[in-house]
Amino acid sequence: MKTLALMVFVGAFAVSCQSPQKQVNPEEARTIAKQAYIYGFPLVDNMRVQYAYFIDKNDPDYKAPYNILYNIPRVFTSQDKAIQTANSDTPYSWIGLDLRTEPIVFTVPPMEKDRYWSLQLIDLYTHNFDIPGTRTDGNNGGSFLIAGPNWKGEKPEGITRVIRCETEIASAQFRTQLFDPADLENVKRIQEQYIVKTLSAFINQPAPKAAPAIDFPKPLTPESQRTSLEFFNLLNFYLQFCPTHPSEKALREQFAKIGLVPGKTFDAASLSSEIKEALSAGMQDAWKEFEIFNTNEIKTGKVGSAEAFGTREHLNNNYMFRMAGAVLGIYGLSKEEAIYPIYQTDSEGQPLNAATNKYTLTMKSDEMPPVNAFWSYTMYELPARIMTENPINRYLINSVMLPNLKRNPDNSITIYIQHESPGKDKESNWLPAPNGPFFFVNRLYLPKPEALNGTWKPKPLVRVQ
């Protein structure tokens, strides 16, 4: 945010910048902290990933500086540890977006009509503010201008669409469908034709004066994000890049009562012990509410990825939905693009654990996930929520693999989900599980109406031992 805008923004909260413990009692502080944590978790966890990918050059998951596209000419494996619940279907191309100075233009080449591609645009809140791709724009190519909240320009010549982002920091990821291992060279050629330029470079004009460099604070670990009061200091830092949405003005004023003011330092050491305890309790209250929500709504199938991922308008300020999306699968696509039924329990409602159990998932031909692109089942170990190492280096079973899967006498397919091999005769259908707790995700890319309206239901996971 430009300096003048930041001064005006902070000035609006000047009345709330007194020492927090002088304004609120511990009970109120606890309530606000819980609300702020649920609201802020997606931002803080989003920037934990962005720090690894675009800021910390010593991180093993580092990709490239902001506004530079980084192509990954392979699918994700167990060696990719920064992001939870990544897919292993589509090679990614990643980019962090700093939209403070000027817009960024993505140019996409024409490609085969049957190859799925998408460019997921994710703001700092983790809203999917747009998704150019096969579904929305076809496969004939185009140039897409991504503008931050302060850009006032007009659509330049040669631009297919102008897309606006409400935050100044964002990220984006291309997904390019890989048909089979032999197709990787084709994917690489497509990735090499994804071109990213600043608007000034795209229209061949002098660049505007660059925004000041940002000294991003080091993030917390996933574990310490759950308990450390430094969480709120990080949230303050990130909120300076998020102009207040009109629907959240009163909410931000509430947050200011405990010292949550964009761009200000949240100094936990200066707080009274009673307020610190109240804020810590509020954080734990947020996690308790998440666990209740997960148990009663997500595990029962009442709420799924279709509700948890999407635009601001789609989420409609449901912050628990947004937090659940970030915890269980940050950067999930919007429902029109993909849905993600999650298997966290077996058919009897018991948690999944391959240290003591084996499981099967059987589907007839007309029971397979209904899609216009492709589907997959991907394995993740708990609690890390990353892919699990295994002797055959298989992290998923997807529809591309159907010709190589063995069929039952009735032409159905059984997937064997267990830690040890089910035997050479069944290994083609084996989805290896960790030697302990796990969950796995069914992904449906370009889901058909019956997947979205509930007519189709995921097949149950049956415990056989």
Side-chain angles (χ1 to χ4, degrees), residues 153-187:
E154 299 294 327
K155 178 182 175 182
E157 185 177 350
I159 294 295
T160 306
R161 286 204 286 136
V162 172
I163 300 169
R164 294 188 176 274
C165 178
E166 70 170 276
T167 62
E168 294 182 320
I169 300 296
S171 65
Q173 48 185 291
F174 280 101
R175 291 172 172 87
T176 310
Q177 184 176 1
L178 176 70
F179 294 129
D180 55 51
D183 184 47
L184 188 58
E185 289 304 314
N186 296 322
V187 170

Side-chain angles (χ1 to χ4, degrees), residues 30-46:
R30 179 173 180 170
T31 299
I32 295 173
K34 172 188 173 183
Q35 189 177 32
Y37 189 91
I38 293 171
Y39 176 94
F41 178 85
L43 288 82
V44 173
D45 201 52
N46 181 7

Side-chain angles (χ1 to χ4, degrees), residues 345-386:
T345 59
D346 62 24
S347 59
E348 298 177 358
Q350 297 301 307
L352 306 179
N353 193 319
T356 52
N357 300 303
K358 298 177 182 178
Y359 306 88
T360 59
L361 180 68
T362 300
M363 300 179 290
K364 296 178 181 178
S365 296
D366 61 354
E367 296 173 330
M368 292 183 189
V371 293
N372 287 314
F374 61 98
W375 55 259
S376 65
Y377 293 92
T378 308
M379 175 65 61
Y380 302 96
E381 61 185 56
L382 288 171
R385 302 181 184 276
I386 59 176

Side-chain angles (χ1 to χ4, degrees), residues 43-231:
L43 288 82
V44 173
D45 201 52
N46 181 7
M47 284 306 306
R48 175 186 63 80
V49 177
Q50 289 203 35
Y51 192 91
Y53 276 19
F54 313 125
I55 299 166
D56 184 2
K57 294 182 179 180
N58 295 317
D59 193 288
D61 285 300
Y62 179 76
K63 311 302 180 197
Y66 277 92
N67 298 339
I68 302 295
L69 186 68
Y70 182 85
N71 293 316
I72 305 174
R74 60 173 179 83
V75 291
F76 272 40
T77 72
S78 60
Q79 300 307 304
D80 297 282
K81 301 182 186 299
I83 179 175
Q84 62 269 35
T85 329
N87 91 53
S88 192
D89 291 294
T90 59
Y92 283 104
S93 302
W94 284 87
I95 185 170
L97 298 175
D98 180 349
L99 302 172
R100 295 173 301 151
T101 298
E102 61 176 319
I104 299 296
V105 178
F106 289 87
T107 298
V108 178
M111 62 188 83
E112 312 96 316
K113 66 178 182 179
D114 58 342
R115 187 185 298 277
Y116 172 86
W117 74 275
S118 63
L119 173 60
Q120 181 185 12
L121 299 165
I122 312 157
D123 69 17
L124 200 48
Y125 295 107
T126 68
H127 300 131
N128 295 329
F129 62 94
D130 209 312
I131 308 177
T134 298
R135 176 182 61 86
T136 50
D137 301 282
N139 282 21
N140 293 324
S143 294
F144 305 89
L145 183 150
I146 317 304
N150 297 317
W151 187 68
K152 308 300 182 185
E154 299 294 327
K155 178 182 175 182
E157 185 177 350
I159 294 295
T160 306
R161 286 204 286 136
V162 172
I163 300 169
R164 294 188 176 274
C165 178
E166 70 170 276
T167 62
E168 294 182 320
I169 300 296
S171 65
Q173 48 185 291
F174 280 101
R175 291 172 172 87
T176 310
Q177 184 176 1
L178 176 70
F179 294 129
D180 55 51
D183 184 47
L184 188 58
E185 289 304 314
N186 296 322
V187 170
K188 288 180 181 178
R189 281 192 286 272
I190 292 170
Q191 288 180 325
E192 289 168 358
Q193 296 176 76
Y194 292 145
I195 306 299
V196 178
K197 293 182 177 180
T198 60
L199 175 59
S200 58
F202 182 82
I203 61 176
N204 198 27
Q205 294 292 324
K209 182 180 178 181
I214 304 170
D215 185 13
F216 285 100
K218 185 176 180 180
L220 295 165
T221 65
E223 295 76 20
S224 57
Q225 281 179 172
R226 299 175 70 102
T227 58
S228 174
L229 293 181
E230 177 63 15
F231 175 95

Side-chain angles (χ1 to χ4, degrees), residues 274-429:
E274 291 82 6
I275 292 294
K276 284 193 285 189
E277 289 173 6
L279 298 179
S280 294
M283 295 174 72
Q284 296 314 302
D285 290 343
W287 280 109
K288 289 174 184 175
E289 183 164 316
F290 165 77
E291 293 299 342
I292 292 170
F293 179 78
N294 187 31
T295 299
N296 295 340
E297 305 296 328
I298 297 177
K299 289 183 178 180
T300 60
K302 295 177 183 177
V303 174
S305 65
E307 290 76 32
F309 301 116
T311 61
R312 172 180 283 280
E313 292 71 25
H314 170 75
L315 285 166
N316 195 27
N317 293 358
N318 189 317
Y319 305 121
M320 179 51 70
F321 278 17
R322 194 170 74 191
M323 177 181 177
V327 173
L328 297 174
I330 195 168
Y331 308 144
L333 288 163
S334 304
K335 66 179 181 179
E336 298 83 4
E337 204 70 31
I339 59 172
Y340 310 90
I342 298 177
Y343 286 78
Q344 298 187 80
T345 59
D346 62 24
S347 59
E348 298 177 358
Q350 297 301 307
L352 306 179
N353 193 319
T356 52
N357 300 303
K358 298 177 182 178
Y359 306 88
T360 59
L361 180 68
T362 300
M363 300 179 290
K364 296 178 181 178
S365 296
D366 61 354
E367 296 173 330
M368 292 183 189
V371 293
N372 287 314
F374 61 98
W375 55 259
S376 65
Y377 293 92
T378 308
M379 175 65 61
Y380 302 96
E381 61 185 56
L382 288 171
R385 302 181 184 276
I386 59 176
M387 293 173 213
T388 189
E389 291 186 27
N390 63 85
I392 60 172
N393 294 319
R394 180 181 294 161
Y395 309 102
L396 58 74
I397 286 180
N398 63 19
S399 53
V400 174
M401 299 165 63
L402 280 173
N404 299 319
L405 300 181
K406 286 190 175 181
R407 299 266 178 169
N408 299 318
D410 64 355
N411 206 36
S412 64
I413 288 175
T414 296
I415 299 173
Y416 300 93
I417 298 163
Q418 56 192 68
H419 181 60
E420 302 291 342
S421 169
K424 287 295 182 181
D425 61 324
K426 298 177 179 177
E427 210 163 83
S428 62
N429 295 31

